[in-house]
Amino acid sequence: MTFGPKLSKERYDDLCGHWRRVGGIAAGADDKVFRGFDHLPVEDKEEKGKGTTGDTLERRKKQGNFFCTVVNVRFNIHINIS
């Protein structure tokens, strides 16, 4: 899934800190419904030849990624960077 609005690199870095903290809280929970919180640094997808997204017309440029697992489903949240 892709997060709607673009974020600045600074805002993305700030959000990564929050994502780590949420992951720490989830890791301490007894039920382990939410786990596997991780993120990747911003990557220029277009520069690396990964600008297309399947059969859509959308073109990716700079993008970061957040990951987490809910129950047994792994989610990858794309964050477009301005």
Side-chain angles (χ1 to χ4, degrees), residues 44-60:
D44 190 333
K45 301 287 187 177
E46 189 171 52
E47 182 179 273
K48 292 187 173 192
K50 301 177 184 178
T52 58
T53 56
D55 293 334
T56 69
L57 297 176
E58 181 183 0
R59 298 285 303 164
R60 297 187 297 175

Side-chain angles (χ1 to χ4, degrees), residues 22-72:
V22 169
I25 293 168
D30 292 334
D31 58 17
K32 304 299 182 218
V33 171
F34 298 94
R35 61 188 189 286
F37 284 75
D38 199 8
H39 61 86
L40 294 176
V42 173
E43 178 180 54
D44 190 333
K45 301 287 187 177
E46 189 171 52
E47 182 179 273
K48 292 187 173 192
K50 301 177 184 178
T52 58
T53 56
D55 293 334
T56 69
L57 297 176
E58 181 183 0
R59 298 285 303 164
R60 297 187 297 175
K61 297 189 188 301
K62 291 183 181 175
Q63 191 174 75
N65 292 278
F66 288 149
F67 304 95
C68 73
T69 300
V70 181
V71 184
N72 289 320

Side-chain angles (χ1 to χ4, degrees), residues 5-26:
K6 289 184 177 183
L7 297 180
S8 68
K9 169 76 169 66
E10 294 76 20
R11 183 69 183 114
Y12 177 76
D13 290 343
D14 184 48
L15 197 54
C16 288
H18 292 292
W19 195 250
R20 279 190 299 275
R21 285 190 286 284
V22 169
I25 293 168

